[in-house]
Amino acid sequence: MAIPAFVLNGPNLNRLGKREPAIYGSTTLDEIAARCVAAGKRHDLDVTFRQSNHEGVLVDWIHEAADTGVGGIILNAGAYTHTSVALHDAIRAVGLPVIEVHLSNVHAREAFRHHSYISPAAAGVILGFGAASYELAIDALAGLIRR
Ligand code: DQA
């Protein structure tokens, strides 16, 4: 049976395709969602893909994942990556495997993007491969869940 997996996206990622294409590429979030669902199918993962601009909604979705038998989470928390103790705590609170994802290589950008509150609570981090970061994360999450 397919194992449920969440792909959660934070603020401004709904603007992908139009937002700073030199940094984030021209792929839209809807296209990334379709690619995640397809990659999930290859691994027998049932992918639910969501985006919110609100920190507390992301916290609620992490709790929901734990309460509904989701096997693991891929999280691009956007700018909340660099600010959110609440998301760090939520990940620690649920104990599910979380893979942190970024389209851009945040370490090659401004210093304020070099620190992540997500990384210390995450099983691993994939960044810098544009939209493909998400598909790599699905591969990694499938490996983690089945291990
Ligand atoms: C991002 C990187 C963050 O620093 C930024 O705030 C984003 C997108 C990425 O996917 O590259 O919103 O998470």
Side-chain angles (χ1 to χ4, degrees):
M1 221 181 82
I3 297 174
F6 273 9
V7 181
L8 304 181
N9 294 277
N12 300 306
L13 292 166
N14 53 314
R15 307 288 300 172
L16 282 182
K18 297 189 281 263
R19 175 192 182 196
E20 299 186 90
I23 295 172
Y24 296 116
S26 56
T27 309
T28 65
L29 196 64
D30 281 349
E31 287 163 351
I32 292 175
R35 283 164 63 169
C36 284
V37 169
K41 284 205 174 102
R42 292 197 287 277
H43 292 291
D44 211 17
L45 293 182
D46 181 11
V47 169
T48 296
F49 192 99
R50 296 180 186 167
Q51 186 274 333
S52 176
N53 293 320
H54 305 279
E55 186 176 11
V57 173
L58 294 164
V59 170
D60 287 344
W61 286 344
I62 291 169
H63 296 172
E64 180 189 330
D67 293 342
T68 59
V70 167
I73 300 171
I74 291 165
L75 175 63
N76 184 351
Y80 292 141
T81 303
H82 317 298
T83 63
S84 181
V85 177
L87 284 172
H88 173 102
D89 285 351
I91 294 166
R92 289 236 192 264
V94 298
L96 285 175
V98 171
I99 299 183
E100 176 183 352
V101 160
H102 302 283
L103 295 133
S104 64
N105 177 358
V106 289
H107 298 293
R109 300 180 61 193
E110 304 96 319
F112 66 82
R113 296 184 203 277
H114 296 178
H115 178 263
S116 167
Y117 282 96
I118 309 301
S119 298
V125 184
I126 298 174
L127 55 87
F129 298 100
S133 291
Y134 285 79
E135 287 160 303
L136 293 167
I138 297 264
D139 292 347
L141 185 64
L144 274 182
I145 289 175
R146 307 240 179 247
R147 200 154 67 194

